[in-house]
Amino acid sequence: MKAERLFQILGLVDESLIEEADTASSPAAVQRRPSWVRLLAAAACLAVICAGAWGLWQSNLGAGTGSPGDAALAGGESGGDGHSPGTTFLSYAGPVFPLTTAETNTRLTAGRTVTWDFAPGSYEDGSPRQWGAQVTDSYTLTNPADGSVTVNALYPVSTSWLDFPELNAAVTVDSGGTGFSVLSGGYAGGFQDAGEPDGSTWNLAPPDEWADYQALLADGEYLSRAMEETAAPEVPVTVYQFTDFAAPHEEYNAATQAVTFTTDPEATTVLSYGFNGMSRDADRGWCQYSYFVPDGVRRETETKILIVLGDDIGDYVLQGYADGGCDQEIDGVSCTVTRRETTLADVLDLLCRAYQAEFEQFSLGRGQESPFRYLSQAQYQGLVWQLLEQYGLFSGTPKDRYSDGRLDEILMEALSQERVLYLSFPVTVPAGGSVTVAASFWKAPSYDYGCSGSENVGLQGYDLVTALGSTLEFTGQTAALVNTDTIEIVRQNLGFDLENGVTQVSLDLAEPHYYLEIRPLEG
């Protein structure tokens, strides 16, 4: 964490971090920023995609698509700059990475074989579906030294914590299954504007080609940070928690409660969780946070908290309203407010545990496996703190996306953002001997959205990098395909030839990136 930024939050908040608001003379004229504004932006961007444009909320959809004339159909040539021709897909799934180790200078050599298995799956009704591939990435690790070598092997996968359970990842050592823990890298992407080229940072911009991961992993810093323990600081905060809600829901099904107060924006910073709307007049220090009163029916968190850093907010006013617009006051809305002094680490622990409980309550009933099977609470809290420190109000230059202090997005996006996760497990290679290590997982393809109008709709893209981020000394690498009866190869630079039975090829270790684009055969 940047010490100077923490000092600013606790004492003197940088004026540039305070949201600009209309200089109205009354609270009713102050610009409101309810959370549903982001949902409207998402819908607008989706409409743009279906018109054939490139923007999408929370996604960087790339700079365009390749055409069949731009790339070789079999054994395509590599570009002179290290980039191979191929399609830039609207949704990029990331490459298959090589095995690495936490240790450097292990002196281990490795032979590698990557196999894509295109055996078709099926829909829930049993009808066939050709989507994705089962990947097995196998290594023969050889130790030329006189003594045995034990390493902490790390197998990288590009995914999010939310999607990680769907990989069904498994690791074997000498054909025997072995357990693994999971180390988490940080958010792998960046930020972009919301469709207007104004330099804003409202939307996420995930990696959209293999070179983004090349830039991310090449110097080893990303992995080094993933191996570090991250914890929120014991910063003193004041917490206001809202409970015991009541409202006339039979008359107002969107009944809303707002808490209003005035602060010195240079001395106080407020973070929120569970609030649906926020209004602010920075010039007067006037703030209003509002939420739909829980009714036991609407999917609405009952954890509603304001976290105050620096000077306390002092007196506040609670008022009920007919809806989230906070224009029509109503009676009969009430709650209990509990104030306590604690630390930022303590309240983030509370919120992370509450979010996990809510996630599992609403998601597991739909058959979605919980990422918390692999993600510990300590890791989760560390990821939330990373986002706050790197991109939120604890950073020197907060991104617009997190500038209003809403922790709801940060807790959610710590799970949903694209990142590199590392399957971590020990391997011992005897003196002068070899060990076979394999990682297997289901690999989603890169693709273009069906409503995009792209000529590449229906293509599935798969990338492979040969040495990126690996500490191993490779003696050779091979790529193979199995169960290819239901696919055709459209573009590649690997050299497969299905018509002539060439389903296994040797890779050039000087080529950093290989790609394969397939299309399922109809019927």
Side-chain angles (χ1 to χ4, degrees):
M1 190 186 90
K2 299 178 177 61
E4 65 273 17
R5 181 59 193 143
L6 179 59
F7 174 79
Q8 290 172 340
I9 285 183
L10 291 177
L12 183 63
V13 178
D14 191 330
E15 185 177 358
S16 66
L17 301 182
I18 304 300
E19 179 187 358
E20 292 295 328
D22 292 344
T23 55
S25 58
S26 66
V30 176
Q31 182 181 9
R32 292 189 171 93
R33 293 182 52 215
S35 61
W36 56 81
V37 168
R38 287 190 174 88
L39 300 180
L40 294 176
C45 288
L46 183 58
V48 171
I49 290 175
C50 293
W54 60 270
L56 176 67
W57 182 62
Q58 290 194 356
S59 298
N60 179 16
L61 301 187
T65 57
S67 64
D70 293 333
L73 296 180
E77 297 179 357
S78 300
D81 59 355
H83 292 254
S84 300
T87 300
T88 300
F89 287 98
L90 300 181
S91 176
Y92 184 58
V96 175
F97 297 104
L99 181 74
T100 187
T101 63
E103 300 80 10
T104 59
N105 300 320
T106 64
R107 294 186 295 173
L108 295 179
T109 62
R112 179 191 190 192
T113 298
V114 180
T115 303
W116 286 273
D117 185 345
F118 288 102
S122 62
Y123 291 98
E124 291 184 3
D125 63 2
S127 59
R129 183 191 193 210
Q130 184 66 62
W131 178 259
Q134 183 70 20
V135 171
T136 301
D137 197 355
S138 181
Y139 300 80
T140 299
L141 303 181
T142 300
N143 175 17
D146 294 333
S148 65
V149 173
T150 298
V151 296
N152 184 24
L154 300 171
Y155 188 78
V157 290
S158 57
T159 185
S160 67
W161 274 108
L162 198 62
D163 293 332
F164 180 73
E166 297 182 5
L167 273 61
N168 292 315
V171 173
T172 60
V173 177
D174 277 345
S175 302
T178 187
F180 58 83
S181 58
V182 184
L183 302 181
S184 181
Y187 173 43
F191 296 82
Q192 62 184 356
D193 59 55
E196 295 291 337
D198 54 7
S200 62
T201 51
W202 289 110
N203 283 358
L204 298 178
D208 65 359
E209 60 177 343
W210 82 274
D212 292 335
Y213 286 101
Q214 183 183 43
L216 188 73
L217 303 182
D219 63 2
E221 287 300 314
Y222 184 87
L223 174 56
S224 295
R225 291 194 298 271
M227 292 190 293
E228 295 174 353
E229 292 186 4
T230 303
E234 300 291 334
V235 175
V237 298
T238 302
V239 172
Y240 291 83
Q241 186 160 3
F242 300 74
T243 56
D244 304 325
F245 309 102
H249 292 296
E250 65 284 353
E251 185 175 358
Y252 303 100
N253 59 12
T256 296
Q257 185 164 53
V259 54
T260 306
F261 50 86
T262 300
T263 67
D264 178 356
E266 294 188 345
T268 301
T269 295
V270 180
L271 307 175
S272 68
Y273 180 83
F275 287 78
N276 306 102
M278 185 268 286
S279 305
R280 182 182 296 168
D281 184 335
D283 291 338
R284 296 187 294 121
W286 178 89
C287 301
Q288 184 180 80
Y289 291 81
S290 61
Y291 57 83
F292 296 118
V293 180
D295 59 3
V297 177
R298 184 189 304 111
R299 179 175 168 175
E300 176 75 21
T301 178
E302 294 197 4
T303 303
K304 301 188 182 298
I305 287 178
L306 293 179
I307 304 168
V308 182
L309 296 93
D311 292 353
D312 202 356
I313 62 174
D315 295 334
Y316 58 86
V317 175
L318 291 171
Q319 177 61 54
Y321 294 92
D323 55 41
C326 295
D327 297 318
Q328 179 186 346
E329 295 184 3
I330 62 173
D331 296 325
V333 177
S334 65
C335 72
T336 298
V337 182
T338 304
R339 178 189 179 278
R340 64 188 180 96
E341 296 179 0
T342 183
T343 65
L344 183 62
D346 176 75
V347 72
L348 286 184
D349 177 75
L350 183 155
L351 291 178
C352 286
R353 294 180 186 279
Y355 190 86
Q356 176 181 351
E358 293 164 3
F359 176 90
E360 294 180 339
Q361 175 187 357
F362 292 119
S363 299
L364 299 190
R366 301 197 303 270
Q368 181 177 0
E369 187 178 352
S370 174
F372 293 101
R373 174 183 171 187
Y374 308 92
L375 176 65
S376 71
Q377 270 295 317
Q379 280 182 302
Y380 184 36
Q381 292 166 34
L383 296 178
V384 169
W385 171 243
Q386 275 185 358
L387 288 180
L388 276 170
E389 179 190 23
Q390 294 176 9
Y391 306 118
L393 290 182
F394 284 83
S395 72
T397 54
K399 302 303 180 184
D400 294 324
R401 187 175 188 83
Y402 306 131
S403 61
D404 57 9
R406 274 178 54 88
L407 295 177
D408 305 62
E409 280 87 355
I410 288 180
L411 284 161
M412 175 182 67
E413 290 174 2
L415 298 180
S416 64
Q417 286 176 342
E418 292 296 313
R419 61 183 75 241
V420 177
L421 302 181
Y422 295 87
L423 314 185
S424 174
F425 54 98
V427 176
T428 297
V429 186
S434 298
V435 169
T436 299
V437 174
S440 62
F441 56 98
W442 185 82
K443 181 64 177 175
S446 303
Y447 64 95
D448 280 2
Y449 301 100
C451 64
S452 65
S454 164
E455 63 183 13
N456 295 302
V457 169
L459 283 185
Q460 298 180 24
Y462 301 90
D463 279 3
L464 165 71
V465 288
T466 52
L468 178 61
S470 181
T471 60
L472 299 174
E473 179 184 342
F474 288 100
T475 57
Q477 295 194 23
T478 300
L481 306 180
V482 296
N483 292 313
T484 59
D485 292 344
T486 57
I487 67 166
E488 63 175 342
I489 296 176
V490 178
R491 287 188 279 272
Q492 62 167 318
N493 68 341
L494 284 151
F496 295 120
D497 185 350
L498 300 186
E499 291 185 0
N500 293 299
V502 180
T503 58
Q504 181 168 306
V505 294
S506 296
L507 305 182
D508 181 356
L509 296 180
E511 171 59 56
H513 165 243
Y514 285 92
Y515 69 93
L516 172 70
E517 298 173 17
I518 64 99
R519 190 189 305 276
L521 295 174
E522 294 185 8

